[in-house]
Amino acid sequence: MGVLLLSLTMPHSFPIYPVISSTVYGGHGNGILGRNRFTVISCANGNRQRERNLLRRREVVEHICLLKANKNISEDEEKEMLDYLYTSQYQMRGMVAISLGQISGEAKEDYTHAVFMRFGSKEDLAKLYENPPYLQVMKKHVLPYCHGLMNVDYESEVEDDILHIFRKGEEYNFGVEFVLLIAFVEAAIVEAVEDALMSLQELTEEHPSLILQCTQGSNFNSKTSEEYTHGAVMRFRSSEAFQIFLSSSRYRDVWESKLQPIARKTLAIHFCVDPVGTEIM
């Protein structure tokens, strides 16, 4: 098993690591979606004006949870923890997608597992932290096996298409989930941050053969917003697609010229996604 895990304290050279497979979960949930709209996102930099295509977009709220599992956790305990987390989606109205899995490779910041959830609105996400079945799952089947966790929440937009909103269909049954957390330096001006994030978004949109979807946004979780200011999640079509993207000169250029100069630190992980059953625990 394996997964890329990278944690940087800037400045550093561009990180490239080999890709190995991993045992993971992926799927979709159910719930009420946020509002949709037409939008044009533009970013000016000097004499340069860039505009994204006019598309019908749907607002979503992304939730990332990184777990620090105990070193002595058994395979059965790990499987139970992930199974309960995955099937908790069926008891939470408002969750529209979920994927999770074990982070392989050398652990950085001691994180071992990652959970990604999508909600239709900030109100739906707020209910997660108060949902009795979910709290019981955390209390009985997660926290006993972990010694720490971190949550990052952000608002974003996706194409207003049911397959992409719910991450349903054959394309989403497999692939690689790439999670990138960024802490921008306090002195970074808003325009520079927006330009860096726009460059990253545009880069992902240039590679539809490699990337199914990318979302990013400002972390509004008050407990972790100072540690990481922004988050991004990219779903790659395969491990090979992920490796091609990370090894590309374009990504290296965006990283070194846009992100690295204004980032205090970053944390990036990926895990492979495989279809799983739907038995409710």
Side-chain angles (χ1 to χ4, degrees):
M1 65 179 181
V3 86
L4 172 68
L5 177 57
L6 123 110
S7 180
L8 301 177
T9 300
M10 298 303 171
H12 275 287
S13 59
F14 179 79
I16 300 178
Y17 293 85
V19 178
I20 315 171
S21 62
S22 162
T23 301
V24 200
Y25 300 62
H28 58 86
N30 54 9
I32 300 174
L33 299 174
R35 62 184 183 277
N36 59 339
R37 64 179 182 178
F38 285 99
T39 182
V40 174
I41 301 177
S42 62
C43 180
N45 184 0
N47 295 325
R48 178 167 54 91
Q49 179 75 24
R50 301 176 310 192
E51 292 187 351
R52 290 174 60 187
N53 292 333
L54 182 65
L55 295 173
R56 191 168 182 83
R57 312 287 291 178
R58 175 78 67 168
E59 292 182 351
V60 294
V61 176
E62 313 286 55
H63 170 73
I64 300 166
C65 179
L66 300 184
L67 300 171
K68 297 180 179 182
N70 299 331
K71 292 184 178 180
N72 62 349
I73 187 173
S74 68
E75 290 187 8
D76 289 341
E77 291 170 338
E78 179 186 34
K79 183 180 184 301
E80 176 185 298
M81 177 180 72
L82 295 178
D83 284 346
Y84 270 96
L85 278 170
Y86 183 77
T87 56
S88 65
Q89 65 180 297
Y90 305 115
Q91 302 181 58
M92 281 190 283
R93 181 175 177 83
M95 184 192 298
V96 299
I98 183 173
S99 65
L100 66 161
Q102 182 186 34
I103 300 169
S104 301
E106 182 182 355
K108 298 295 178 64
E109 298 192 24
D110 211 20
Y111 291 113
T112 59
H113 297 77
V115 183
F116 166 77
M117 298 178 180
R118 171 171 293 166
F119 293 86
S121 67
K122 292 179 72 173
E123 291 74 21
D124 290 330
L125 172 61
K127 295 174 183 178
L128 168 72
Y129 295 107
E130 302 174 353
N131 182 276
Y134 179 73
L135 294 178
Q136 283 296 104
V137 166
M138 294 297 292
K139 180 179 180 180
K140 293 184 177 181
H141 306 287
V142 178
L143 296 182
Y145 307 132
C146 296
H147 59 276
L149 60 82
M150 175 176 64
N151 295 315
V152 172
D153 305 314
Y154 65 88
E155 293 180 281
S156 190
E157 295 180 340
V158 297
E159 183 179 348
D160 190 18
D161 177 90
I162 190 170
L163 296 181
H164 292 301
I165 296 170
F166 287 86
R167 293 174 138 219
K168 295 180 64 174
E170 186 175 350
E171 288 184 318
Y172 282 102
N173 284 338
F174 303 90
V176 172
E177 206 81 85
F178 178 55
V179 178
L180 174 64
L181 304 182
I182 306 172
F184 287 109
V185 297
E186 293 183 6
I189 60 175
V190 175
E191 290 78 7
V193 172
E194 291 179 348
D195 183 57
L197 294 175
M198 178 64 73
S199 297
L200 181 63
Q201 182 70 33
E202 289 179 343
L203 178 61
T204 63
E205 293 173 352
E206 291 173 6
H207 298 85
S209 63
L210 304 178
I211 302 172
L212 277 169
Q213 189 176 81
C214 173
T215 64
Q216 58 182 336
S218 175
N219 179 20
F220 62 80
N221 189 300
S222 59
K223 294 183 179 180
T224 61
S225 58
E226 293 185 0
E227 184 172 4
Y228 287 101
T229 60
H230 292 74
V233 175
M234 306 178 196
R235 168 61 73 86
F236 286 83
R237 294 181 181 272
S238 65
S239 295
E240 293 75 17
F242 177 62
Q243 188 172 23
I244 291 172
F245 181 80
L246 280 193
S247 302
S248 69
S249 59
R250 283 281 289 118
Y251 181 45
R252 179 183 287 119
D253 178 65
V254 169
W255 184 274
E256 294 180 346
S257 65
K258 301 291 185 179
L259 292 169
Q260 181 171 311
I262 58 175
R264 176 169 51 86
K265 67 174 180 176
T266 66
L267 174 65
I269 64 97
H270 85 260
F271 54 88
C272 296
V273 177
D274 297 314
V276 297
T278 58
E279 179 181 356
I280 300 177
M281 302 299 293

